[in-house]
Amino acid sequence: QVQLVESGGGLVQAGASLRLSCAASGRTFSSYAMGWFRQAPGKEREFVAAISRRGAPTYYGDSVKGRFTISRDNAKNTVYLQMNSLKPEDTAVYYCAAQYALGAWFTYDSSEYRYWGQGTQVTVSS
């Protein structure tokens, strides 16, 4: 069982940066691949980024490539999403997700993640 708690969301202007954090409970965080997803009002949940249990490889959605960076600190049971050059279209609720994994496995498919956080709101004004 893994419990996930996101933090770091807020209201920023276009071009600003934010860093989201996702703190996980339990002693086996390093056994889980992690992902970030987002959902804007009236839209389907969208893949943002994923990272294997080892910290590499990583994978990004096309809309955030070159602007967002996913990382993890297994000693702190935390995964991060550094978001730079934010745009109004990045406005959404951001969720982190976890799935038990072996080796370098990770996925961009939300249906393959078993554990989800409650989400944190990111609002980017123009």
Side-chain angles (χ1 to χ4, degrees), residues 4 9 18 24 40 50 84 126:
L4 305 173
L18 277 176
N84 298 330
S126 57

Short mmCIF file of all heavy atoms in Angstrom, two decimals, residues 4 9 18 24 40 50 84 126:
data_model
loop_
_atom_site.label_atom_id
_atom_site.label_comp_id
_atom_site.label_asym_id
_atom_site.label_seq_id
_atom_site.Cartn_x
_atom_site.Cartn_y
_atom_site.Cartn_z
N LEU A 4 0.01 8.72 -1.46
CA LEU A 4 0.71 9.79 -2.15
C LEU A 4 0.06 11.12 -1.82
O LEU A 4 -1.17 11.25 -1.85
CB LEU A 4 0.65 9.56 -3.66
CG LEU A 4 1.18 8.21 -4.15
CD1 LEU A 4 0.90 8.05 -5.64
CD2 LEU A 4 2.66 8.08 -3.87
N GLY A 9 1.52 23.21 -5.76
CA GLY A 9 0.71 23.91 -6.76
C GLY A 9 0.44 25.34 -6.35
O GLY A 9 0.73 25.76 -5.22
N LEU A 18 7.32 26.44 -11.31
CA LEU A 18 6.82 25.82 -10.09
C LEU A 18 7.48 24.46 -9.96
O LEU A 18 7.81 23.83 -10.98
CB LEU A 18 5.31 25.61 -10.13
CG LEU A 18 4.37 26.76 -9.77
CD1 LEU A 18 2.92 26.31 -9.98
CD2 LEU A 18 4.59 27.22 -8.34
N ALA A 24 5.54 10.09 -0.71
CA ALA A 24 4.95 8.75 -0.62
C ALA A 24 5.18 8.15 0.76
O ALA A 24 6.25 8.32 1.35
CB ALA A 24 5.54 7.84 -1.68
N ALA A 40 -7.39 19.01 -16.90
CA ALA A 40 -8.00 20.33 -16.96
C ALA A 40 -9.52 20.18 -17.00
O ALA A 40 -10.02 19.13 -17.42
CB ALA A 40 -7.51 21.08 -18.18
N ALA A 50 6.99 10.50 -16.57
CA ALA A 50 7.15 9.27 -15.81
C ALA A 50 8.62 9.01 -15.57
O ALA A 50 9.48 9.46 -16.33
CB ALA A 50 6.51 8.10 -16.54
N ASN A 84 8.97 24.63 -15.80
CA ASN A 84 9.50 25.92 -16.22
C ASN A 84 8.71 26.44 -17.41
O ASN A 84 8.03 25.69 -18.10
CB ASN A 84 10.97 25.79 -16.59
CG ASN A 84 11.84 25.35 -15.42
OD1 ASN A 84 11.55 25.65 -14.26
ND2 ASN A 84 12.90 24.63 -15.73
N SER A 126 -2.41 34.44 -17.91
CA SER A 126 -1.73 35.02 -19.09
C SER A 126 -1.39 36.48 -18.86
O SER A 126 -1.79 37.09 -17.88
CB SER A 126 -2.64 34.89 -20.31
OG SER A 126 -3.87 35.51 -20.06
#
